[in-house]
Amino acid sequence: MTTQMFEGRGHAAVYQKYRFAPGKELQQTILGYLQEKKAIPAELVVDVGCGSGQGTRFLAEHFKKVVGTDISEAQIQEARDTLSMPNVSYLVCPAEELPFQDASVDVLASFTAAHWFDIEKFMREAQRVVRPGGCVAISTYTVDMSLRYRDCSKKLTKIFRECWDQILKYSHNRLKFVLENYKEIFEALPFPDKKRITDIYDEIPMTVEGVVGYLESASPYQMFMKNDPEAAKSLLQETEKRMLETMGVSSRETPVEFWVRHVCVLGCK
């Protein structure tokens, strides 16, 4: 069964506010593959583990009908409360028990969620629901992140990574799939035509507040909060203070370039 880590309304609200949609390079990688495999146009696209809907809304711009699914009621409520296109709907269900008929899904997608699934059971569901000739697109952003701002990019990235290293001490063991660049997920995909791309780099427009908010939204930070709330809050406050001082600014709304590396597993049935 899917590992449930994002159940609380407070966590879901932070997730909605600070998690970012798939970047342009990742979008182009996925859409290019689907065009190559002639999976476009597609009637039904399902975003599994959709969280608060950032990836679902991207898919809705390109496909006729998009359904976002997640095991977390709080995350689905956040997704439903956010303005979406009329071709989007959301369902609460496990990734391993999708309420779709056999061979009915044209594209099965998942953004930064598959490492929480029971991989073996999820892949059986993918085999069941994806139609012949249909595709999967499973991606995650990695811990390979950096910040760029004028002439202090290296110092800023160092501050960010020092904070991230502290937070990662509270990682769930399922984050090993991310640290291994989804290699195991790629190997488990039962489709004969598949590939894994590990070097997709995207610039995500951010502010200092957004970067700190992203750290707050991460599951290891939420675990840190449960274990030692004062230390967790202090870490983010100190990190934000150091970032602003390094940049020579006072506003949390100061824009900064946030660069992430994505890994994407693509397959055609």
Side-chain angles (χ1 to χ4, degrees):
M1 188 62 69
T2 301
T3 303
Q4 295 180 249
M5 295 289 291
F6 305 90
E7 294 301 293
R9 287 304 303 268
H11 190 187
V14 170
Y15 209 85
Q16 175 65 271
K17 184 174 182 180
Y18 294 114
R19 283 297 173 110
F20 41 86
K24 290 181 180 179
E25 289 298 321
L26 178 60
Q27 292 182 25
Q28 290 173 4
T29 298
I30 292 171
L31 293 174
Y33 180 82
L34 297 179
Q35 288 169 346
E36 175 191 337
K37 299 301 177 183
K38 297 181 171 53
I40 296 177
E43 290 294 315
L44 175 60
V45 178
V46 178
D47 179 15
V48 187
C50 68
S52 45
Q54 284 86 344
T56 319
R57 292 188 287 275
F58 147 63
L59 294 170
E61 298 174 3
H62 301 277
F63 300 102
K64 185 174 181 180
K65 181 180 180 181
V66 179
V67 180
T69 74
D70 202 283
I71 199 169
S72 168
E73 293 185 10
Q75 290 282 0
I76 289 295
Q77 191 57 55
E78 285 291 336
R80 288 173 174 160
D81 289 346
T82 302
L83 183 64
S84 294
M85 297 170 67
N87 59 330
V88 174
S89 60
Y90 294 99
L91 297 172
V92 177
C93 67
E96 304 83 0
E97 299 173 17
L98 299 172
F100 303 100
Q101 294 181 352
D102 296 358
S104 64
V105 175
D106 296 294
V107 176
L108 192 69
S110 182
F111 300 96
T112 316
H115 47 281
W116 299 115
F117 305 162
D118 181 314
I119 304 302
E120 184 178 347
K121 291 181 179 179
F122 171 66
M123 291 304 179
R124 284 203 298 267
E125 273 297 82
Q127 179 79 320
R128 181 184 69 81
V129 302
V130 174
R131 65 165 176 81
C135 293
V136 298
I138 303 170
S139 70
T140 184
Y141 38 78
T142 69
V143 295
D144 184 5
M145 303 174 181
S146 61
L147 300 174
R148 297 180 190 175
Y149 183 82
R150 296 182 181 174
D151 60 352
C152 61
S153 300
K154 288 185 178 180
K155 290 182 180 179
L156 210 54
T157 297
K158 184 174 183 289
I159 293 168
F160 173 83
R161 289 183 174 170
E162 286 174 353
C163 178
W164 195 222
D165 286 345
Q166 289 295 314
I167 292 170
L168 285 176
K169 293 177 182 178
Y170 294 86
S171 293
H172 192 282
N173 60 11
R174 296 196 69 83
L175 286 181
K176 68 179 183 180
F177 294 110
V178 176
L179 297 175
E180 295 169 356
N181 290 318
Y182 270 20
K183 183 175 184 291
E184 194 169 331
I185 290 173
F186 168 75
E187 292 171 348
L189 181 64
F191 297 176
D193 182 350
K194 62 182 181 180
K195 64 179 178 178
R196 180 174 64 117
I197 306 171
T198 62
D199 56 352
I200 305 167
Y201 291 89
D202 263 310
E203 176 194 348
I204 309 296
M206 281 279 205
T207 62
V208 173
E209 178 190 8
V211 172
V212 175
Y214 165 74
L215 291 166
E216 182 184 0
S217 76
S219 59
Y221 180 80
Q222 295 296 314
M223 186 59 66
F224 189 7
M225 277 288 291
K226 289 180 181 179
N227 280 269
D228 192 342
E230 291 305 315
K233 291 177 185 176
S234 177
L235 176 63
L236 289 194
Q237 290 170 354
E238 180 62 21
T239 297
E240 180 177 295
K241 179 183 176 183
R242 291 176 66 197
M243 288 176 62
L244 292 172
E245 288 176 350
T246 298
M247 296 165 67
V249 299
S250 59
S251 173
R252 306 175 72 228
E253 300 303 316
T254 302
V256 61
E257 293 181 20
F258 188 56
W259 283 84
V260 300
R261 179 173 64 86
H262 290 96
V263 170
C264 193
V265 172
L266 300 161
C268 184
K269 186 175 179 182

